[in-house]
Amino acid sequence: MLIRLAILFSGNGSNLENILEKLHKKTFGQNTFEIVLCISNNKDAYGIQRALKYDIETIIIEHQKFKTREEFDTNLVKLIKENQVDLTILAGFMRILSPVFTQNIKAINLHPSLLPLFKGANAIKESYESDMKVAGVSVHWVNEELDGGKIISQKSFDKDRLNFEEFEEKIHTLEHEILPLTIVQIFEDD
C-alpha cells in the first residue's frame, strides 16, 4: 500500500531530511512511503533546501499573514486533505495547533524529551538541567494539548557526564533513529 506523508517544519530540517533519506519512496513490508507534501511556516527555513535535494518543493504558509491561529490551521488542513495525506509529521514545526487542525488531521510529533516531562520549546535545556539521570525523545499523537497526545514511542539514554553540546547531539541522534521507525511501525500495526 502507498502511504502518503506530509512533513511540517519551521527550521533546520534535519529530521525532515532524515525522513526523506530513510523513508521516501522506500518499501517496508507491504507499505511504500512517499513524502507528498512539505510545508513550512518560515520562508527562511533551511529545511526548504534539504527538501529540494529530493526534488520536493516546500509550500510556505507564513502564520503571520493570518489573523487567527484557526485561519492558519484551516489553510494547513485544506492543503493536507487536498494531497490525500495518510499521516502528517511535525518535525520541528514550532506552532501550537488549534482543534481546527487536531480534530481533522492524523498527525504525530517528535519531541526532544521523555514526555510527559519538559513540554514546550525549551525541552532540551530543561531536560539537561534537571536532576534526572536519564533523558530522551518521544513521538506522540498530536492533540489539543501542547506535547500532550498519547505517546507512541520513546527512547532514552543515561545523561552521565555529558556537556550540553554532547547532550544535544545525543538527543538529535535518537530523534533520527526513532522517528522513521515509529512511522513504519504505525502502519505495520494498522
Side-chain angles (χ1 to χ4, degrees), residues 66-76 98-101:
F66 296 90
K67 288 184 177 79
T68 66
R69 194 173 293 282
E70 291 75 14
E71 195 179 309
F72 172 76
D73 288 359
T74 298
N75 277 272
L76 282 181
S98 74
V100 169
F101 181 93

Side-chain angles (χ1 to χ4, degrees), residues 79-92:
L79 204 49
I80 291 166
K81 288 190 178 274
E82 283 172 358
N83 283 276
Q84 299 172 326
V85 169
D86 297 301
L87 181 68
T88 298
I89 300 128
L90 278 56

